[in-house]
Amino acid sequence: MKKIMSLLLMMSFILAGCSSSKSADTMKVLTPNGATALSLVGVYEEITKNGEVKIVEGSELISSELVKKDSEFDAIIAPINLGCQLIAKGQTDYRLAGVLTWGNLYLVQNEDVTNNELAAFGEKAVPGKIFNLVKESSDIMKNSKVTYYNAVSDVQAQVLAGKCQYALMAEPAATATIGKAKQNGTTLKIVASLQELYQKQSGSIEAGYPQAAIFVKNKDDVKDLLSKIEAFTSGKKDEELLTKSIDKIGAETFGIPSAAIGAKTWTNQNINYKDAASVKEDIQSLLKQFGIEYSDDMLIK
């Protein structure tokens, strides 16, 4: 009887060990730069003790790792439409754990220009899709002559050169551009939030739209990581403390203009982790705009 009890006790320890979360400091995380990377500032130093935070520009590596059968990354942050499209096509083993950012698009006006030109970016991606969804609710967007460019940096160059009256920009680039223009005696200002326009039009529960999401293979493994990201991204931030945290790691690490701008625009970047199951109506609504049929099978169990 004692042998049986000992065996059962040993089995319970083994099972408990199998179901426990991996420590955040052993994680390997892949993310695009900018707002999504900045969401990891609260866990960056802990993860990089023994693990890795790989921050990349663009989505090429993100896509290839999502479809790779033997990817070493425990978590991949990607545009929600990209990850869910791959899931729908059966091309990835990763599943949706949560939404990390809720849109950071703003319309910037150059007060010194009156040509009614609007420079935009991301024509076939989330920025272009959201722009087209809400443009009829904005007289500026509805009546402007729109030209799409390859990236936010190209839009920035257009508005700083005075070639357009309006510019679709993402934070923190929008605030950085406004500051840069001010140094040159030009006045730029934010005149619309596409997140507010989207919420009014779609009736979304959250303030904005699901943009960047975290995709994982095993939710139990990343419980510790997700819990810490959720805790860090919820609520208001002390700008001074956040600036110091970003500066300690390096603004260039996250691909943002400066630590001060990263902290100043934190609220406008709409970084706020939500478990996917709790916001699935908003996810379903956005995916529909991309012709992706939502299924609960997309969520990590």
Side-chain angles (χ1 to χ4, degrees):
M1 185 66 178
K2 287 182 179 180
K3 287 184 179 180
I4 293 174
M5 290 299 294
S6 297
L7 182 59
L8 289 173
L9 185 61
M10 185 181 297
M11 287 294 292
S12 69
F13 281 127
I14 292 172
L15 290 172
C18 290
S19 61
S20 63
S21 172
K22 289 175 67 175
S23 173
D25 66 4
T26 63
M27 293 281 113
K28 287 193 174 184
V29 182
L30 176 63
T31 178
N33 61 6
T36 49
L38 198 59
S39 68
L40 300 175
V41 67
V43 292
Y44 184 89
E45 290 187 292
E46 181 179 359
I47 294 175
T48 54
K49 284 178 182 177
N50 301 303
E52 178 186 10
V53 176
K54 189 174 183 66
I55 300 172
V56 298
E57 187 172 359
S59 60
E60 187 174 339
L61 182 61
I62 303 286
S63 298
S64 64
E65 287 295 334
L66 280 170
V67 300
K68 189 186 292 184
K69 289 291 183 184
D70 58 348
S71 176
E72 62 183 353
F73 292 102
D74 299 286
I76 296 178
I77 300 174
I80 194 167
N81 57 304
L82 170 61
C84 289
Q85 180 74 277
L86 292 174
I87 295 172
K89 292 181 176 180
Q91 295 177 349
T92 180
D93 292 331
Y94 284 90
R95 291 295 180 268
L96 178 59
V99 177
L100 189 56
T101 64
W102 295 87
N104 58 342
L105 295 172
Y106 298 86
L107 196 64
V108 174
Q109 179 182 350
N110 186 333
E111 293 189 335
D112 300 329
V113 180
T114 58
N115 61 10
N116 206 35
E117 295 282 348
L118 192 158
F121 73 102
E123 184 174 11
K124 295 181 180 179
V126 172
K129 181 67 69 174
I130 297 299
F131 179 87
N132 284 322
L133 281 173
V134 304
K135 71 177 182 179
E136 292 300 317
S137 61
S138 163
D139 288 339
I140 291 174
M141 290 188 279
K142 181 170 60 176
N143 299 320
S144 295
K145 294 174 283 187
V146 181
T147 302
Y148 278 96
Y149 294 87
N150 291 329
V152 174
S153 57
D154 298 322
V155 173
Q156 181 187 55
Q158 291 294 313
V159 71
L160 287 175
K163 294 182 179 180
C164 60
Q165 186 175 357
Y166 304 104
L168 175 65
M169 303 198 75
E171 287 285 25
T175 295
T177 304
I178 292 170
K180 200 167 187 178
K182 188 176 182 179
Q183 293 174 355
N184 299 326
T186 302
T187 301
L188 305 182
K189 64 178 182 180
I190 291 176
V191 293
S193 162
L194 272 69
Q195 291 67 237
E196 291 179 3
L197 294 174
Y198 179 88
Q199 187 175 30
K200 287 178 182 177
Q201 183 169 312
S202 69
S204 61
I205 298 169
E206 295 296 320
Y209 46 88
Q211 186 175 23
I214 300 181
F215 296 88
V216 304
K217 288 185 177 180
N218 187 322
K219 193 170 186 178
D220 285 336
D221 278 354
V222 297
K223 279 182 179 178
D224 182 42
L225 175 69
L226 297 181
S227 176
K228 288 178 178 178
I229 291 174
E230 182 176 15
F232 182 79
T233 60
S234 63
K236 292 185 177 180
K237 292 286 172 287
D238 182 292
E239 193 173 313
E240 185 178 349
L241 290 176
L242 185 56
T243 300
K244 289 180 179 178
S245 296
I246 298 170
D247 200 39
K248 185 179 179 183
I249 300 167
E252 67 282 354
T253 300
F254 300 106
I256 60 174
S258 71
I261 287 177
K264 183 179 180 180
T265 61
W266 178 270
T267 300
N268 274 4
Q269 292 182 71
N270 288 313
I271 303 168
N272 184 20
Y273 178 84
K274 295 284 185 180
D275 183 82
S278 70
V279 291
K280 64 181 183 180
E281 290 83 5
D282 285 354
I283 294 171
Q284 183 177 14
S285 179
L286 182 74
L287 293 182
K288 186 178 181 180
Q289 303 302 326
F290 287 89
I292 303 170
E293 186 175 350
Y294 170 83
S295 166
D296 284 342
D297 292 337
M298 291 178 171
L299 309 184
I300 193 71
K301 300 297 189 285

